[in-house]
Amino acid sequence: DIVMTQSPDSLAVSLGERATINCKSSQSVLYSSNNKNYLAWYQQKPGQPPNLLIYWASTRESGVPDRFSGSGSETDFTLTISSLQAEDVAVYYCQQYYSTPRTFGQGTKLEIK
Amino acid sequence: EVQLVESGGGLVQPGGSLRLSCEASGFTFSSYWMHWVRQAPGKGLVWVSRIKSDGSSTNYADSVKGRFTISRDNAKNTLYLQMSSLRAEDTAIYYCARPTLYHEILTGSYSDVWFDTWGQGTLVTVSS
């Protein structure tokens, strides 16, 4: 199974500042035949199901604000929120869809400082 | 509007059984792989199981293999999760999730990739 490890577990950032969340996979999730990283990011607010933010490691889902961006390749990935807004308080998860079982990171709780 | 609505959760004793349902609408249910993902109270997301569009292939997490059975009725646009021999550690919100279908050019097949739609979840509590 591919193990996904996020860091940090929690993060407090001031409004308007940058937030960075890291995700590391135990093996590469880059599919060589199409050169795509099989990695997604989700946002989950309290009492709600997860919401897709990013797929293919860096492609923003339709409707997601452009302050959210994803980067990285193979085993190391980053979710960046360029200017934190109050509505971004949530738990963020990375997930690989390279292989089954699908696996998620443990989550990073993002709060306002 | 694409929608998934779970039902069937509740309180069950250890060793008991429960069947969850997920009713889909707003898309061609029979074309999609479907998944179950769970989340224990205050914990992270854990993938549970998936089933191919025609029901011909299934996969399970090791933690539920042999105890849970995923199935679907495409005529009713409904996904199921039959859970038996339930344990306290199965206590969680259970979400059904629809993945996007991605056309793999080299193989010509469709893969289930990221989860673009989630239900609101149904809570299963295993306790005496």
Side-chain angles (χ1 to χ4, degrees):
Chain A
D1 299 2
I2 298 177
V3 177
M4 309 298 291
T5 304
Q6 292 180 226
S7 62
D9 289 335
S10 63
L11 181 62
V13 174
S14 300
L15 290 173
E17 296 299 304
R18 179 185 301 260
T20 301
I21 299 170
N22 300 301
C23 174
K24 190 174 186 68
S25 58
S26 60
Q27 63 188 73
S28 175
V29 297
L30 175 64
Y31 197 33
S32 56
S33 64
N34 60 11
N35 201 38
K36 290 184 180 294
N37 288 284
Y38 281 50
L39 189 285
W41 288 96
Y42 301 88
Q43 174 193 63
Q44 187 179 31
K45 297 181 179 180
Q48 296 183 19
N51 182 54
L52 176 68
L53 295 175
I54 302 281
Y55 56 91
W56 295 140
S58 61
T59 303
R60 201 180 303 115
E61 171 71 333
S62 175
V64 172
D66 60 7
R67 62 180 180 274
F68 290 91
S69 63
S71 62
S73 186
E74 297 193 52
T75 61
D76 291 279
F77 302 91
T78 300
L79 174 69
T80 302
I81 307 172
S82 60
S83 177
L84 189 70
Q85 305 299 303
E87 61 265 32
D88 300 335
V89 169
V91 179
Y92 293 84
Y93 296 92
C94 61
Q95 180 235 335
Q96 64 80 19
Y97 44 92
Y98 182 91
S99 66
T100 300
R102 304 292 194 248
T103 46
F104 294 86
Q106 79 275 19
T108 295
K109 186 174 184 179
L110 178 58
E111 299 173 314
I112 305 294
K113 186 187 290 184
Chain B
E1 179 193 6
V2 175
Q3 197 169 10
L4 300 171
V5 179
E6 301 95 336
S7 60
L11 176 64
V12 60
Q13 291 189 337
S17 298
L18 209 58
R19 188 177 83 156
L20 306 182
S21 300
C22 170
E23 188 168 346
S25 60
F27 65 100
T28 305
F29 179 72
S30 59
S31 296
Y32 286 81
W33 286 80
M34 292 296 295
H35 294 239
W36 287 100
V37 175
R38 69 184 181 183
Q39 186 170 36
K43 302 297 185 182
L45 301 167
V46 177
W47 178 83
V48 173
S49 181
R50 72 169 182 170
I51 185 168
K52 196 174 179 180
S53 53
D54 62 2
S56 63
S57 178
T58 59
N59 299 99
Y60 297 92
D62 285 346
S63 59
V64 307
K65 204 172 293 182
R67 300 187 300 122
F68 290 11
T69 302
I70 191 172
S71 63
R72 64 192 298 159
D73 185 335
N74 285 344
K76 295 182 177 179
N77 290 339
T78 302
L79 173 72
Y80 301 102
L81 186 67
Q82 177 69 46
M83 305 185 295
S84 61
S85 302
L86 282 161
R87 308 165 180 166
E89 54 264 36
D90 295 318
T91 294
I93 297 173
Y94 284 74
Y95 296 103
C96 62
R98 189 196 80 166
T100 289
L101 291 182
Y102 172 68
H103 185 224
E104 304 275 1
I105 294 174
L106 282 184
T107 63
S109 63
Y110 285 85
S111 297
D112 51 327
V113 285
W114 57 86
F115 300 126
D116 61 24
T117 305
W118 298 69
Q120 287 298 313
T122 187
L123 176 62
V124 173
T125 303
V126 184
S127 176
S128 55

